[in-house]
């Protein structure tokens, strides 16, 4: 998977920003996709409105705009839902099993990550408890 500076993978995000900042960035990115879906849906409705009247050439261009707006809207909605669900799934695993601290995580460098199982080894900043987060 290519590196995305706006949405780094969970291990990279925890290493660079910490879990809470990674989670915040993931939610902000998901909501930006929701706004894009909303804007493209409005553009889709406007494209349908422009379809009335006009020559065949204009109708062909309007049809192209309808298809483009619909595909952008569906892609943005899908991306919004993925990012939102991914952030929530990771947040549900961010509680320390020992001291119950939320989001105080560090990457556990004493254990090796298991990329095949998509497990991210983390430890609590407060008490040092170690566990794996399953990155879906």
């Amino acid at each position: 998977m290519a590196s995305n500076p706006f949405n780094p993978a969970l291990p990279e995000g925890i290493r660079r920003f910490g879990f809470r900042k990674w989670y915040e960035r993931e939610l902000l990115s998901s909501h930006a996709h929701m706004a894009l879906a909303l804007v493209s849906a409005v553009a889709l409705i406007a494209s349908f409105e422009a379809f009335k009247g006009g020559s065949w050439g204009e109708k062909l261009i309007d049809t192209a705009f309808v298809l483009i707006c619909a595909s952008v809207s569906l892609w943005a909605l899908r991306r919004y839902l993925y990012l939102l669900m991914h952030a929530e799934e990771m947040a549900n695993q961010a509680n320390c099993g020992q001291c119950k601290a939320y989001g105080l995580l560090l990457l556990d460098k004493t254990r090796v990550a298991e990329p095949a199982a998509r497990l991210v080894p983390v430890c609590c900043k407060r008490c040092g408890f170690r566990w794996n987060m399953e990155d879906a």
Side-chain angles (χ1 to χ4, degrees):
M1 182 179 196
S3 178
N4 183 344
F6 298 113
N7 293 98
L10 180 63
E12 178 67 15
I14 291 174
R15 186 185 66 74
R16 283 178 49 199
F17 311 115
F19 177 77
R20 290 182 182 189
K21 283 286 187 188
W22 172 86
Y23 177 71
E24 178 183 331
R25 292 168 67 99
E26 198 82 355
L27 288 180
L28 286 172
S29 181
S30 75
H31 286 87
H33 282 86
M34 180 187 62
L36 175 62
L38 182 63
V39 168
S40 61
V42 169
L44 177 66
I45 293 168
S47 296
F48 276 125
E49 186 67 29
F51 195 72
K52 296 177 184 175
S55 66
W56 283 103
E58 291 172 341
K59 286 185 179 186
L60 187 61
I61 291 172
D62 290 338
T63 302
F65 282 140
V66 165
L67 293 174
I68 290 169
C69 291
S71 57
V72 167
S73 184
L74 288 174
W75 173 82
L77 183 62
R78 222 176 140 219
R79 187 73 179 151
Y80 160 68
L81 291 172
Y82 169 76
L83 290 171
L84 183 66
M85 292 299 111
H86 182 250
E88 290 303 311
E89 188 174 337
M90 296 302 102
N92 288 336
Q93 300 177 50
N95 288 324
C96 175
Q98 190 169 338
C99 69
K100 306 297 183 210
Y102 170 74
L104 297 176
L105 308 176
L106 292 172
L107 283 180
D108 188 359
K109 295 180 181 167
T110 62
R111 295 182 294 153
V112 178
E114 299 176 30
R118 305 208 32 124
L119 296 177
V120 179
V122 294
C123 66
C124 180
K125 284 182 188 179
R126 185 181 290 167
C127 68
F129 181 73
R130 293 179 164 88
W131 75 97
N132 290 324
M133 291 179 71
E134 187 175 345
D135 191 7

